[in-house]
Amino acid sequence: MNTILLFVILGLVTIMFLFFLFMLFGWRWFMKKMVGKIGKIILSDSYQENIIEMIPGFRHIGIQNILENNLRSASGDLLHRPLGSSKKWPQFDAITFIPAQTSPFAVDGEEEVDLKVTIGPNAKKPMDIKIPLMISGMGYGVALSEEVRLSLAEAASNVGTAINSGEGGVMPEELEKAGKYILQFGKTEWSKEEDLIKQADMVEIKLGQGAMMAMGLKISPENLTGNSRKVMGLKENETAVIHEHFFENQTLKDIKELVDELRKITGGVPIGAKMGAGGKIEEDIDHLIEMGVDFIAIDGAQAATLGAAPIISDDFGIPTIHAVIRAVNHLEKRKMKGKISLIVSGGLFVPGHFLKVLALGADAVYVGSAILFAVAHDQVFHSVPFEPPTQVVWNEGKFKDEFKIEDGVKAAEKFLTACTEEIKTALRAMGKRSLKELSKKDLVSYDEAVAKYVGVPFSFEPWTDKTKNK
């Protein structure tokens, strides 16, 4: 036995020694041979047979488009792409803030900055939140797992803000953990109980969203499992349906009556509507004003969802920066700015994005994709590198059961707190002690076209009295 062991050890040592010699002296010869062989193929094969044909092919069509077309070829079904459009939409990067350095001066870092916001100031029961960041509607079951929803609800409560239910089911535990709760009134059969509506601090009628517009969705029993089916009141083999309309032969009058009915049931909490930002945004806002809403939530075309047809995500809607400017301008024109609150979302990922939208006239911001990755934080290592990181947060995710609520609460709370502190620092750098002091006059742009359409100074031109009054 000892002799056999000795031979095994000697064999391993020999192999390791030979490998060492190869790495020391033979690797250059090996690499040269490989490069020469591959190089000869690439430089000699006809273009039609050459592997480099992939380069112009990928550049012409795009890697993502090729992969998605292959998924279409494999399934023959409508493609549902998660996390929204991958197009390069116009963003807020060309806009910058004006610092206070000589007149006025920056505010001391120890001084507190007031970020409180009131949504629906004209409502009988307005909703007050401590920060202008709210958690967007990402529904239980139809998108997120129970653990993630509970984590986000508790984190929202801890920092003094609100969480939106989304179109999924509403768990009693979630209502208990949440501070301020926004009930999204969707085109569904569930989450319509009067007792539930009465518990909401705000009700949002979902007319549309940036990634799907007003289109609905059917979710098979295989793709919607677990406790969420019970919460949503679905039978064992029942397909969950999100409809395109609230009513048969729907009219604007029907929606107005729904607004009035919800206001009556809730006793006067803010009742508003969410819609995707479209090319006729002013007309859409006029219709909402006629309905008597207390707030309008506008979702730019960069917005995301669990899964939407790529043609809707990529080829419908207008960018968030265009939407917020046009919405604010129109509310001002209709003398409704300050009476109807404006909430903006879609492609807003960092504190700079949030604060610029607020400076442009929004009253609050919905945070979606950014906090989805934040709440997962280092728990994504349960799924990567062999599965996408979102497999730990989706209700049907392969690793959802490994998600720890306590860790999710801490991560989401720290994310919101850090974003809030950055916003406070930015306001201090502008010489401000309150979010209410912020306006479009605190912005410039280094892009002449952006400056023109946003209505802020072009940074290449000197600051003058005329500029101040812009």
Side-chain angles (χ1 to χ4, degrees), residues 152 368-378 407-408 410-412 415-416:
L152 291 174
S369 298
I371 201 164
L372 189 61
F373 283 95
V375 71
H377 189 40
D378 56 2
D407 293 345
K410 289 176 186 175
F415 171 77
L416 290 169

Side-chain angles (χ1 to χ4, degrees), residues 10 33 66 171 178 201 240 246 278 280 324 328 334 410 429:
L10 286 172
K33 285 288 185 183
I66 288 174
M171 297 173 282
D201 296 283
F246 289 99
K280 297 195 297 182
V324 65
V328 169
R334 291 294 309 271
K410 289 176 186 175

Side-chain angles (χ1 to χ4, degrees), residues 15 26 60 70 107 158 182 208 244 256 277 381 386 414 434 469:
I15 291 170
H60 175 64
N70 274 280
V107 173
N158 290 348
I182 303 168
E244 278 75 26
K256 176 172 173 42
F381 293 118
F386 302 112
K414 286 179 179 178
S434 170
N469 298 322

Side-chain angles (χ1 to χ4, degrees), residues 251-372:
T251 65
L252 291 176
K253 183 183 177 185
D254 292 328
I255 308 297
K256 176 172 173 42
E257 289 175 356
L258 176 60
V259 171
D260 295 338
E261 179 66 17
L262 289 170
R263 185 171 284 124
K264 181 180 177 182
I265 293 172
T266 62
V269 306
I271 310 295
K274 176 180 180 177
M275 63 180 183
K280 297 195 297 182
I281 192 169
E282 290 83 6
E283 182 178 305
D284 290 333
I285 289 172
D286 281 338
H287 290 151
L288 295 180
I289 292 173
E290 289 167 16
M291 293 174 195
V293 298
D294 299 301
F295 71 90
I296 298 172
I298 292 180
D299 208 21
Q302 303 100 298
T305 187
L306 170 63
I311 194 169
I312 302 292
S313 295
D314 292 343
D315 300 295
F316 281 73
I318 62 174
T320 302
I321 186 172
H322 295 197
V324 65
I325 295 297
R326 287 175 60 181
V328 169
N329 288 345
H330 195 65
L331 286 172
E332 287 176 344
K333 179 183 175 182
R334 291 294 309 271
K335 295 181 170 47
M336 287 293 174
K337 186 75 177 75
K339 297 178 182 178
I340 295 177
S341 298
L342 179 64
I343 305 167
V344 175
S345 56
L348 309 177
F349 305 126
V350 295
H353 292 164
F354 309 150
L355 193 57
K356 287 171 187 176
V357 167
L358 295 168
L360 291 170
D363 296 289
V365 167
Y366 272 139
V367 185
S369 298
I371 201 164
L372 189 61

Side-chain angles (χ1 to χ4, degrees), residues 151-209:
S151 295
L152 291 174
E154 189 171 339
S157 177
N158 290 348
V159 299
T161 192
I163 182 171
N164 190 306
S165 70
E167 288 181 300
V170 178
M171 297 173 282
E173 309 95 297
E174 185 178 333
L175 284 168
E176 289 173 15
K177 286 180 178 290
K180 304 288 184 176
Y181 200 79
I182 303 168
L183 178 66
Q184 189 173 93
F185 195 90
K187 302 165 194 171
T188 64
E189 301 299 324
W190 54 86
S191 300
K192 298 288 193 303
E193 301 86 357
E194 189 169 314
D195 180 61
L196 173 62
I197 295 170
K198 286 180 177 179
Q199 294 182 69
D201 296 283
M202 192 163 101
V203 179
E204 178 182 87
I205 300 169
K206 189 196 166 192
L207 299 175
Q209 65 185 95

Side-chain angles (χ1 to χ4, degrees), residues 27-45:
W27 71 272
R28 290 172 61 91
W29 170 85
F30 178 75
M31 288 299 295
K32 191 171 182 180
K33 285 288 185 183
M34 286 295 295
V35 170
K37 185 72 173 175
I38 295 170
K40 186 176 181 181
I41 293 171
I42 291 174
L43 299 177
S44 302
D45 280 5

